[in-house]
Amino acid sequence: DEYKWKGPFYFIQGADPQFGLMKAWATGDTKNGDDEWEEEIKLAEQAVQAINKLNPKPKFFVLCGDLIHGMPGSQWRKDQEQDLKNVLKNTDQDIPLVFVSGNHDIGNTPTRETIDDYCKNWGDDYFSFWVGGVFFLVLNSQLYFDSSKCPELKQAQDAWLEEQLAVAAEQKCRHIIVFQHIPLFLRNPEEDHDYFNLEKSVRREIMEKFHQAGIKAVFSGHYHRNAGGFYRGLEMVVSSAIGCQLGEDTHGLRVVVVTDEKIVHRYYSLNELSSQGIEKELLDMLAKQN
């Protein structure tokens, strides 16, 4: 039933609740300073409350990685995970949660063990799903960043992705949308490689593959600031964090409206979304039945 287009809908994208980073960042000890995360709990609670109040309801709520700050094997990791789960279980039961793995969830250089641990806690590290004629792909971007300790897992994801794109072509879906943690690029497809984007040759290969497949948009987090740009009609959307901000943006969520022809999105601060909800312009798009 979800293979069929039934008219416009919307979903909510969040990123980087990253329980523990705010204190670690404030104290300048990002390796061990994450022993408190009260502030992040409050922000995540505010995000859930804002989403629960929305009418109509979003089709799903996707969290684009760095669920917690504690790296695999670190001291506070289990407590951070449990506290985040306690907050998220208050999400309206009619709003499915979609989780994307980030570098703090599986490590900067993931291993089979760190990925298995993530999968036990949060679900598969890559998968696809359909909503109302739109095909969604969730990718493990750490495998593109550094798969040196698990090259066979990167090969497996690559092979799977080829199969999924073939399915999408066959099913003639309305749009294809990708979720991953690390952005392909922040502003310009040709920008230099650094911690916050993918290495240039890897990026070029993925962008071209996505372009050829007709993918409309890639949504990511990781940067803790809003950014984005275009590559040959493919939009790269980088959303700032629910948790710690590293730039001038506010703690927030992105509302993404999917219409027959396009994908329209706007970043809201948690306060805005809580107090005012979605603006009329986007609601009007949802009301237009095709």
Side-chain angles (χ1 to χ4, degrees):
D1 196 36
E2 291 297 340
Y3 289 136
K4 295 188 194 69
W5 176 255
K6 303 189 202 66
F9 64 88
Y10 81 103
F11 62 87
I12 301 290
Q13 183 221 2
D16 303 273
Q18 206 160 339
F19 283 20
L21 176 59
M22 288 172 90
K23 171 148 190 238
W25 189 257
T27 57
D29 181 5
T30 53
K31 294 273 193 294
N32 319 294
D34 60 332
D35 58 347
E36 284 174 29
W37 49 92
E38 276 307 310
E39 253 183 292
E40 284 99 337
I41 290 176
K42 288 197 189 102
L43 290 161
E45 284 172 345
Q46 190 183 357
V48 167
Q49 285 158 8
I51 291 167
N52 286 348
K53 282 196 326 204
L54 294 173
N55 183 22
K57 289 188 204 304
K59 286 287 185 183
F60 59 89
F61 171 30
V62 58
L63 272 171
C64 282
D66 281 2
L67 306 173
I68 50 153
H69 183 66
M71 286 279 189
S74 64
Q75 186 178 359
W76 306 107
R77 183 177 171 89
K78 288 277 168 261
D79 293 339
Q80 289 168 357
E81 285 181 334
Q82 193 51 56
D83 283 351
L84 179 58
K85 286 178 180 177
N86 290 342
V87 172
L88 292 175
K89 69 178 185 223
N90 295 317
T91 309
D92 185 310
Q93 288 182 332
D94 293 330
I95 304 171
L97 292 166
V98 177
F99 298 109
V100 182
S101 61
N103 57 305
H104 282 261
D105 305 311
I106 57 176
N108 285 320
T109 306
T111 65
R112 187 175 278 281
E113 290 69 35
T114 64
I115 291 174
D116 282 349
D117 183 61
Y118 170 86
C119 293
K120 280 193 201 93
N121 262 300
W122 302 101
D124 291 341
D125 59 322
Y126 58 88
F127 56 96
S128 63
F129 61 99
W130 288 82
V131 174
V134 177
F135 193 43
F136 292 92
L137 293 162
V138 171
L139 298 178
N140 178 346
S141 55
Q142 281 323 114
L143 296 175
Y144 296 128
F145 192 80
D146 182 359
S147 63
S148 57
K149 289 187 178 165
C150 54
E152 74 288 357
L153 297 184
K154 178 183 184 294
Q155 286 165 352
Q157 177 172 260
D158 288 347
W160 172 86
L161 181 57
E162 291 298 334
E163 286 165 16
Q164 297 299 306
L165 294 177
V167 167
E170 209 175 291
Q171 292 283 354
K172 300 190 172 35
C173 51
R174 195 61 55 124
H175 305 290
I176 312 172
I177 295 174
V178 172
F179 300 119
Q180 59 189 56
H181 179 60
I182 301 180
L184 298 169
F185 58 89
L186 298 173
R187 290 197 168 78
N188 179 338
E190 289 303 313
E191 72 199 15
D192 290 340
H193 166 57
D194 67 17
Y195 175 76
F196 287 114
N197 60 20
L198 291 178
E199 194 272 318
K200 260 181 162 175
S201 63
V202 174
R203 178 198 315 168
R204 283 186 184 133
E205 190 184 328
I206 298 170
M207 288 189 310
E208 194 47 38
K209 180 182 296 207
F210 286 1
H211 167 68
Q212 297 287 341
I215 290 171
K216 294 282 177 70
V218 178
F219 289 87
S220 71
H222 189 51
Y223 192 44
H224 295 254
R225 287 155 279 218
N226 287 310
F230 285 87
Y231 170 79
R232 300 179 69 186
L234 167 73
E235 186 174 11
M236 181 68 243
V237 184
V238 185
S239 292
S240 198
I242 293 171
C244 188
Q245 300 299 312
L246 301 184
E248 300 300 306
D249 295 296
T250 48
H251 311 281
L253 294 164
R254 193 172 292 277
V255 173
V256 185
V257 175
V258 183
T259 76
D260 189 18
E261 272 146 26
K262 55 190 179 176
I263 294 150
V264 182
H265 53 86
R266 183 177 160 211
Y267 186 84
Y268 289 82
S269 74
L270 294 180
N271 290 340
E272 265 183 300
L273 201 59
S274 302
S275 58
Q276 293 156 31
I278 300 171
E279 70 209 275
K280 186 175 181 312
E281 184 192 351
L282 294 185
L283 289 172
D284 287 348
M285 283 182 187
L286 291 172
K288 283 195 181 121
Q289 285 309 314
N290 298 11

